[in-house]
Amino acid sequence: MKKTILVFGLLILALLVLFQLSKFSVVSGDMNIESTIAIVAVIFFFVGVYIHKKSLPKEQLESNEIDTSKIQQLDITNREYEVLKFISEGLSNKEIGEKLFVSESTIKTHVSNLLVKLNAKRRTEAVKIAKQLQII
Amino acid sequence: MKKTILVFGLLILALLVLFQLSKFSVVSGDMNIESTIAIVAVIFFFVGVYIHKKSLPKEQLESNEIDTSKIQQLDITNREYEVLKFISEGLSNKEIGEKLFVSESTIKTHVSNLLVKLNAKRRTEAVKIAKQLQII
DNA sequence: AGTCATTTGGTACTTTAGTATGAGCCTTTT
DNA sequence: AAAAGGCTCATACTAAAGTACCAAATGACT
């Protein structure tokens, strides 16, 4: 929180300096008007982008990107990951088996392994943990 | 997609017009340099904010806000909603019962009613649907 | 050729989950 | 007071989910 205030304070200061500099350049004739306005426009455009980005909660920007490396760290195999995604879609073991053209037994095996690897007691908990880890 | 291109096209056009106008104002002496630069800075700042906002996927901005009205539309009661949240946390009926100081039977009743109201076959599907509806 | 990880699938069993039904107790509304 | 909705709980059941083991086929790597 203190950090945010500091950053914004410095930013405003920088903008004021920039603004004064741009005026000075024009008045002193070091630069023509078109260039100055263009530069100011470009800079303030990016400032607008930056401010808006910073104004958003961090999760909304970080989230939605699946962390592939974490999947490997947990030793989750391709097949297991497929099953995990179907679980998060709310499908039963039987339905997942039909989607992947394998038996329900196979899905049960995958699910059991997933629960161990994700340190979950139930499939619902597995979904929660997987989302926290940004795996799905 | 066509709409996006159209909007951005018009936006660029408007900016060019604005840019030319600002130059013209200064050259013709209708406005002083300071004011012109300030106006351009402010406008392009907000353009930056706008562009950045538009560049984000809609879900990232809409999401994270729970839709209270939709909960009522579905006739989900307070208690049922509490249970729903615990389900999404990956708890079992027994664990939820302990958290809410009621029996597992009671939780089963609530879950059954939730599944009907959310039109889900399983608790995992209920979680998925509830998230789609931005209820949790 | 042999090892290893992955995927598959089976049996047998225990544990949760979910359904159906009925009932008692409150509180709010009519 | 009666009706209605919400919360509670129990019984009895069926259906999924999950565990524990075992075993076989496959492909990659050494």
Side-chain angles (χ1 to χ4, degrees):
Chain A
M1 208 55 179
K2 290 175 185 173
K3 196 177 169 185
T4 307
I5 294 170
L6 189 73
V7 169
F8 271 77
L10 287 175
L11 194 62
I12 291 169
L13 211 68
L15 291 179
L16 287 174
V17 171
L18 175 70
F19 187 65
Q20 290 302 319
L21 273 177
S22 67
K23 273 199 303 179
F24 180 75
S25 298
V26 173
V27 172
S28 64
D30 290 351
M31 210 184 290
N32 61 14
I33 301 163
E34 289 88 349
S35 304
T36 307
I37 292 179
I39 290 171
V40 168
V42 169
I43 291 173
F44 275 81
F45 171 80
F46 283 107
V47 168
V49 170
Y50 177 77
I51 295 285
H52 186 256
K53 186 176 181 181
K54 284 293 163 186
S55 73
L56 292 173
K58 69 254 158 265
E59 31 149 348
Q60 291 190 1
L61 292 172
E62 291 168 1
S63 186
N64 286 91
E65 300 159 21
I66 58 162
D67 193 340
T68 318
S69 66
K70 206 161 286 177
I71 300 174
Q72 295 174 322
Q73 284 174 27
L74 294 168
D75 284 308
I76 293 175
T77 66
N78 291 339
R79 209 53 164 170
E80 284 163 1
Y81 184 67
E82 287 185 277
V83 172
L84 178 59
K85 282 196 292 187
F86 281 125
I87 290 175
S88 74
E89 295 287 326
L91 300 188
S92 69
N93 291 336
K94 198 175 187 179
E95 288 169 340
I96 297 172
E98 287 166 0
K99 286 237 178 191
L100 297 178
F101 303 107
V102 294
S103 78
E104 190 186 346
S105 289
T106 306
I107 304 300
K108 282 191 177 185
T109 306
H110 290 319
V111 173
S112 255
N113 292 333
L114 268 173
L115 295 183
V116 173
K117 291 176 181 178
L118 287 172
N119 194 29
K121 298 199 200 87
R122 283 163 290 280
R123 49 169 58 211
T124 44
E125 195 183 357
V127 171
K128 185 203 77 173
I129 293 172
K131 280 186 177 157
Q132 282 180 343
L133 296 175
Q134 296 179 319
I135 280 178
I136 54 173
Chain B
M1 209 55 175
K2 290 176 186 172
K3 197 178 168 186
T4 307
I5 295 171
L6 188 72
V7 168
F8 271 77
L10 285 175
L11 194 61
I12 291 169
L13 211 69
L15 292 179
L16 286 175
V17 171
L18 175 69
F19 188 64
Q20 290 301 320
L21 272 177
S22 66
K23 276 199 301 178
F24 180 75
S25 297
V26 172
V27 172
S28 63
D30 289 351
M31 208 182 291
N32 62 11
I33 300 162
E34 290 88 346
S35 305
T36 306
I37 293 178
I39 290 170
V40 168
V42 169
I43 290 174
F44 274 80
F45 171 81
F46 284 107
V47 168
V49 170
Y50 177 78
I51 295 285
H52 186 255
K53 187 175 179 180
K54 283 294 162 184
S55 74
L56 293 173
K58 67 252 160 272
E59 31 150 343
Q60 290 188 5
L61 293 172
E62 292 169 0
S63 187
N64 286 90
E65 301 158 22
I66 57 162
D67 192 340
T68 318
S69 65
K70 207 162 284 177
I71 300 175
Q72 295 175 322
Q73 282 173 30
L74 294 167
D75 283 310
I76 293 175
T77 66
N78 292 339
R79 208 55 162 170
E80 284 163 359
Y81 184 67
E82 287 184 279
V83 172
L84 178 59
K85 281 196 294 188
F86 281 125
I87 291 176
S88 74
E89 295 287 323
L91 300 187
S92 69
N93 291 335
K94 197 177 187 178
E95 289 169 339
I96 298 172
E98 287 166 1
K99 287 237 180 193
L100 297 178
F101 304 106
V102 294
S103 78
E104 191 187 345
S105 290
T106 307
I107 304 301
K108 282 191 178 187
T109 307
H110 289 319
V111 173
S112 254
N113 292 332
L114 268 172
L115 295 183
V116 172
K117 291 176 181 178
L118 286 172
N119 195 29
K121 297 198 201 86
R122 281 163 290 279
R123 50 171 55 211
T124 44
E125 195 183 358
V127 171
K128 185 203 76 174
I129 293 172
K131 281 187 176 155
Q132 282 180 342
L133 296 174
Q134 296 178 320
I135 280 178
I136 53 172

